[in-house]
Amino acid sequence: MTTISTQPIAGQKPGTSGLRKKTPVFMGPHYLENFVQAIFDVIGAKGKTFVLGGDGRYFNDRAAQVILRMAAANGAVRVIIGQGAILSTPAASHLIRLNNTDGGIIMSASHNPGGPNEDFGVKFNMSNGGPAPEGVTEAMYKRTTEIFEYHIVESQDVDLSVIGRSQLAGMIVDVVDPVADYATLMESLFDFSAIAAMFKGGFRMRMDSMCAVTGPYAVEILEKRLGAAAGTCINATPLPDFGGMHPDPNPTWAKALMDEMFGDNAPDFGAASDGDGDRNMVVGAGAYVSPSDSLAVLAANAHLAPGYKAGLKGVARSMPTSAAADRVAASLGIACYETPTGWKFFGNLLDAGRATICGEESFGTGSDHVREKDGLWAILLWLNILAVRKQSVAAILAEHWGKFGRNYYSRHDFEAIASDKADAMMAALRGSLTSLPGTQLEGLTVQAADDFAYTDPVDGSVSKAQGVRILFEDGSRIVLRLSGTGTEGATLRLYLERYAAGPDGLDLDPQDALAPVIRAAHALAKIESFTGRVTPDVIT
Ligand code: G1P
Ligand code: ZN
């Protein structure tokens, strides 16, 4: 073992999903090593077993070899790693749980582009399979500010291309099939024979893995096990630069899929997933499903899948996610939790058995089968529901809105704003909150305004300043917060919502339905005068 002297590198502060930086930064001297040592110093590696894998982006393979050497030098007894250092985030979460390990390291910057000049990331998941909580990531950050040495063994690369067991300086390295255990888990939750029968009956699907990690998972599960036609899965080979794609499954970045689903001869069902496989977008022929609606439909129909036939214990959604799921929870008579943005807040609810299904407006849905959101899981649950209900996606959505009403919803992102301008805007908005109730504009009257704070019902921990909420008397809502995952300046996220009870007014275009709410948001937050921005960069 070698101990290398180092010194702190500024800015190694993990955000909501681990440490994300430009790849050249991560490849800089001691950068990866310092952060990995900080992880091991906080978690402790001696005698422990970890899972390791990543989404296959540029530097994934090299980083894996460094992390293996450091795990061995820090006294870990075993690392379970996906073949080729590949593991989707949900598959990693599952392997951590299945093997009762002490946690895992996932190499990914999620939906951010990958490549020599794009993004890289490292995050630690705990033994429950979920992202490290704030206290732990804070401790890691603190450690990076005081680090002076790291430990690494000198060795040849471990051959990660072959499944099987080897040794690295006394540590066991188990290279496993990244897909097999995950696919078995999916088979235990969903009615694979019903879905296979649907495909056999001519049901057509398009699955776009966006040249990212879910390709091998999708091909194995959809084409091989469920018998979807060959070619159903596209962009199914994970590439170091994701083929130049921006692997974020939303209508902007998965435009080719949207065009196909809204074109002539569209397949019955389309889906896409992100860089590390935890996000999903689903779309029917001519029918886009917003993530907030997807969560609500999945919650209302989950009992149709074998893994959820006993019903749900509760539903949880992040605060900016629309209240569509709340209406389903109310009608099912189950609890609905509203948490801050970020999957880690769902972990305690899932561990405590208070919630079964969770979701975020940012194309994330999942359940208590793992402790991460899970793109393919959501896609398979939709397929199971479609196989049982034998209706189109459009018909299922229309019935859902007819029963519960429709929460029109959209998110507008303003990217790469100078951080000081974004901070000034949020500070001014926060300062104005108490004066807002009663304000009238665009035919709307402000009922309440606050800065969302959350007390975890399981461990009592408090998270403050999670986003500004402005609620109007008609139930419309505006939420503003700054992204915690961006790598360039600040990203302002503006979330817009308006409820229509129906039966009329259920088929408007969301941007039209939300127009007054959008104008009110710009007026209240003075977005243009603070940031110079009027038009969002991404609308979802
Ligand atoms: C974004 C999403 C959030 C999600 C996170 C990780 O975080 O908004 O819902 O949990 O990515 O995928 P943000 O950049 O808004 O902090
Ligand atoms: Zn992701």
Side-chain angles (χ1 to χ4, degrees):
M1 180 190 87
T2 314
T3 295
I4 312 250
S5 299
T6 188
Q7 46 190 353
I9 301 171
Q12 295 198 315
K13 192 173 172 58
T16 34
S17 324
L19 182 65
R20 282 190 201 165
K21 295 289 170 193
K22 290 288 168 203
T23 311
V25 173
F26 249 108
M27 294 176 76
H30 307 309
Y31 196 93
L32 172 69
E33 291 86 345
N34 275 15
F35 187 63
V36 170
Q37 188 63 49
I39 292 176
F40 287 141
D41 286 347
V42 168
I43 300 296
K46 209 166 181 42
K48 294 197 169 166
T49 296
F50 298 108
V51 166
L52 176 62
D55 61 16
R57 71 180 60 223
Y58 189 83
F59 192 49
N60 186 86
D61 49 351
R62 297 309 314 149
Q65 298 288 348
V66 170
I67 295 169
L68 283 174
R69 288 191 185 106
M70 290 185 66
N74 279 278
V77 290
R78 182 178 171 218
V79 170
I80 301 167
I81 181 167
Q83 187 179 20
I86 293 285
L87 282 178
S88 76
T89 287
S93 180
H94 178 51
L95 283 182
I96 291 169
R97 298 163 62 79
L98 183 68
N99 295 286
N100 290 314
T101 69
D102 301 289
I105 293 179
I106 301 175
M107 300 168 289
S108 171
S110 189
H111 51 284
N112 294 8
N117 294 307
E118 299 294 348
D119 290 353
F120 192 78
V122 169
K123 66 174 171 174
F124 187 81
N125 280 30
M126 310 296 281
S127 58
N128 74 343
E134 226 148 50
V136 175
T137 54
E138 269 304 312
M140 288 170 184
Y141 171 57
K142 184 161 178 288
R143 188 68 195 145
T144 67
T145 66
E146 56 200 24
I147 195 162
F148 62 94
E149 62 180 28
Y150 62 81
H151 312 297
I152 189 159
V153 298
E154 280 169 48
S155 71
Q156 298 295 311
D157 280 359
V158 180
D159 184 355
L160 300 178
S161 68
V162 185
I163 289 171
R165 176 166 286 194
S166 61
Q167 300 268 340
L168 174 64
M171 180 181 83
I172 294 169
V173 178
D174 280 321
V175 178
V176 300
D177 180 335
V179 178
D181 288 322
Y182 178 83
T184 305
L185 175 66
M186 293 300 113
E187 272 191 89
S188 76
L189 296 174
F190 302 117
D191 188 345
F192 269 39
S193 47
I195 303 172
M198 179 171 73
F199 278 122
K200 205 157 184 231
F203 182 90
R204 290 186 306 131
M205 174 175 179
R206 179 72 61 230
M207 169 71 209
D208 189 345
S209 289
M210 305 188 85
C211 300
V213 81
T214 62
Y217 296 84
V219 170
E220 170 66 26
I221 294 172
L222 297 173
E223 296 188 9
K224 298 211 177 118
R225 299 200 187 190
L226 291 169
T232 294
C233 302
I234 56 167
N235 297 320
T237 303
L239 300 174
D241 65 350
F242 303 131
M245 294 180 91
H246 187 151
D248 198 359
N250 62 44
T252 303
W253 296 116
K255 186 168 181 308
L257 177 69
M258 288 297 282
D259 288 348
E260 183 176 4
M261 297 307 298
F262 280 82
D264 297 338
N265 195 27
D268 300 288
F269 187 58
S273 53
D274 76 329
D276 62 332
D278 56 357
R279 294 185 174 197
N280 76 91
M281 178 178 85
V282 294
V283 47
Y288 168 67
V289 186
S290 83
S292 294
D293 279 342
S294 181
L295 174 66
V297 170
L298 294 181
N301 293 279
H303 62 278
L304 301 177
Y308 306 91
K309 64 172 186 291
L312 308 179
K313 293 169 185 151
V315 177
R317 65 163 173 87
S318 67
M319 179 275 282
T321 304
S322 94
D326 305 28
R327 298 175 193 283
V328 174
S331 97
L332 293 172
I334 57 176
C336 184
Y337 298 90
E338 184 177 27
T339 62
T341 296
W343 203 261
K344 61 188 171 195
F345 292 98
F346 295 137
N348 277 355
L349 298 170
L350 297 170
D351 284 345
R354 293 196 186 206
T356 307
I357 285 191
C358 314
E360 294 193 278
E361 50 66 41
S362 53
F363 299 83
T365 12
S367 86
D368 57 2
H369 68 293
V370 290
R371 291 297 180 272
E372 288 276 5
K373 55 191 174 235
D374 187 346
L376 275 169
W377 169 88
I379 292 161
L380 288 164
L381 180 49
W382 263 100
L383 283 170
N384 198 144
I385 292 165
L386 291 165
V388 173
R389 289 187 52 169
K390 302 186 185 352
Q391 288 170 291
S392 68
V393 172
I396 288 175
L397 271 183
E399 261 184 41
H400 188 92
W401 293 332
K403 179 168 178 196
F404 296 100
R406 179 169 181 185
N407 289 72
Y408 284 102
Y409 187 83
S410 184
R411 181 176 108 181
H412 292 191
D413 291 336
F414 302 82
E415 294 174 346
I417 303 174
S419 293
D420 54 339
K421 293 183 178 173
D423 290 342
M425 193 207 84
M426 290 302 292
L429 185 61
R430 288 192 157 104
S432 74
L433 291 178
T434 50
S435 68
L436 289 184
T439 306
Q440 298 192 350
L441 70 179
E442 301 295 338
L444 298 160
T445 306
V446 178
Q447 187 179 55
D450 70 354
D451 194 355
F452 181 59
Y454 177 69
T455 304
D456 188 300
V458 180
D459 66 19
S461 61
V462 177
S463 306
K464 291 189 178 150
Q466 297 297 315
V468 167
R469 306 190 282 189
I470 302 170
L471 188 69
F472 297 94
E473 280 175 359
D474 72 345
S476 297
R477 190 179 73 146
I478 295 168
V479 173
L480 293 105
R481 57 179 284 281
L482 299 183
S483 158
T485 60
T487 51
E488 221 182 314
T491 295
L492 168 65
R493 303 207 193 284
L494 168 62
Y495 309 84
L496 306 141
E497 182 172 356
R498 200 196 114 195
Y499 179 66
D504 298 327
L506 293 178
D507 346 295
L508 302 175
D509 172 79
Q511 301 306 318
D512 293 341
L514 291 165
V517 186
I518 296 169
R519 288 194 297 269
H522 280 264
L524 288 170
K526 304 188 178 68
I527 297 174
E528 186 177 8
S529 62
F530 277 100
T531 69
R533 303 293 182 83
V534 186
T535 315
D537 299 287
V538 179
I539 295 184
T540 50

